[in-house]
Amino acid sequence: HHMKQLSSFDLPTRTTLEDLAVVCANCHMLLHLNSDKPLDIDELRRMLKADAESPLFQAFYVSTDVKPD
């Protein structure tokens, strides 16, 4: 996942590893659900954490090896 949406650039830019984040397919779809205002990863994490019992929340933390607070 590109941390900054490619469509926000006026000119072609070089992508580095620091520009990318690994997310599962489900989370990637949620990040881009609203094409006018895509979520950033921290926003999605907060939304999922608010419903810690949701299957998406569990899948996010299993797929990223990140443990909730």
Side-chain angles (χ1 to χ4, degrees), residues 29-65:
M29 183 268 312
L30 291 172
L31 290 169
H32 291 284
L33 200 56
N34 180 349
S35 60
D36 293 331
K37 187 183 181 312
L39 294 173
D40 68 37
I41 292 175
D42 290 330
E43 288 175 299
L44 179 58
R45 184 178 286 129
R46 280 190 296 275
M47 290 170 64
L48 294 174
K49 197 171 186 178
D51 185 10
E53 298 302 314
S54 77
L56 280 174
F57 176 86
Q58 299 300 324
F60 178 81
Y61 283 102
V62 168
S63 68
T64 60
D65 289 329

Side-chain angles (χ1 to χ4, degrees), residues 1 4 7 13-14 20 25-26 28 31 35 41-42 47 50 53-54 59 62 66-69:
H1 171 74
K4 185 163 182 182
S7 63
T13 59
R14 185 176 304 268
L20 302 173
N26 292 332
H28 194 250
L31 290 169
S35 60
I41 292 175
D42 290 330
M47 290 170 64
E53 298 302 314
S54 77
V62 168
V66 174
K67 302 301 177 224
D69 296 332

